[in-house]
Amino acid sequence: MRSRYAAFSLGLGEYLVKTLAEEHPDRTLPPEEHVLSLSRARQRLRFLDLRILHTSLERDRGGVLFYARIFERGEDRSFAELSSFQREGSAWRYASGVLVPAECLPKDIRALDRSAFLALAGLVS
């Protein structure tokens, strides 16, 4: 997760595409256009902080709950995400993620655990 966040902040679109799981829907996009789009995102976004809140690992599947502090032209675009990763060969690849925007998160992000996140995302009753 940290390497993908760093790649977003540095505009490393090729790395971001390379680290997608084979079954990720974005793999169907035209590669050159997708790399260019991801590379240019850093021109309009300011990446200020990444906090890993929870990790899990079960065989070839992993999960990362994180908070990303990001601004776009002075507007807060921060969010928390529960990302799923899968091992493909010897590498971990981004499979999917569920996102909750900052305005829906608790004021003290340290209070956000996996259970609270799932409730905020509407994934548990």
Side-chain angles (χ1 to χ4, degrees):
M1 188 61 246
R2 287 182 177 95
S3 71
R4 287 184 53 82
Y5 180 86
F8 272 107
S9 70
L10 295 170
L12 304 177
E14 192 171 321
Y15 176 83
L16 291 165
V17 169
K18 182 178 131 186
T19 57
L20 290 174
E22 289 297 324
E23 298 300 319
H24 193 282
D26 286 357
R27 287 283 189 165
T28 63
L29 299 173
E32 297 81 21
E33 293 174 31
H34 194 207
V35 166
L36 187 58
S37 172
L38 291 170
S39 297
R40 289 185 173 163
R42 77 176 209 123
Q43 295 171 354
R44 67 178 197 286
L45 300 172
R46 289 185 56 220
F47 297 81
L48 301 177
D49 190 23
L50 173 68
R51 293 186 192 178
I52 305 297
L53 305 172
H54 176 80
T55 61
S56 62
L57 179 63
E58 188 173 319
R59 298 184 187 223
D60 289 341
R61 307 283 284 159
V64 178
L65 174 60
F66 68 90
Y67 173 73
R69 191 164 165 244
I70 300 171
F71 282 78
E72 180 178 21
R73 297 185 179 102
E75 296 284 324
D76 189 354
R77 302 285 187 227
S78 302
F79 61 91
E81 180 178 314
L82 181 58
S83 296
S84 297
F85 290 83
Q86 63 188 50
R87 188 187 333 252
E88 293 178 356
S90 63
W92 285 96
R93 306 282 188 221
Y94 177 77
S96 65
V98 176
L99 185 141
V100 172
E103 60 267 14
C104 300
L105 299 173
K107 292 278 186 212
D108 183 0
I109 198 66
R110 294 172 299 185
L112 186 64
D113 61 14
R114 190 174 186 281
S115 296
F117 177 87
L118 292 172
L120 287 171
L123 298 175
V124 293
S125 53

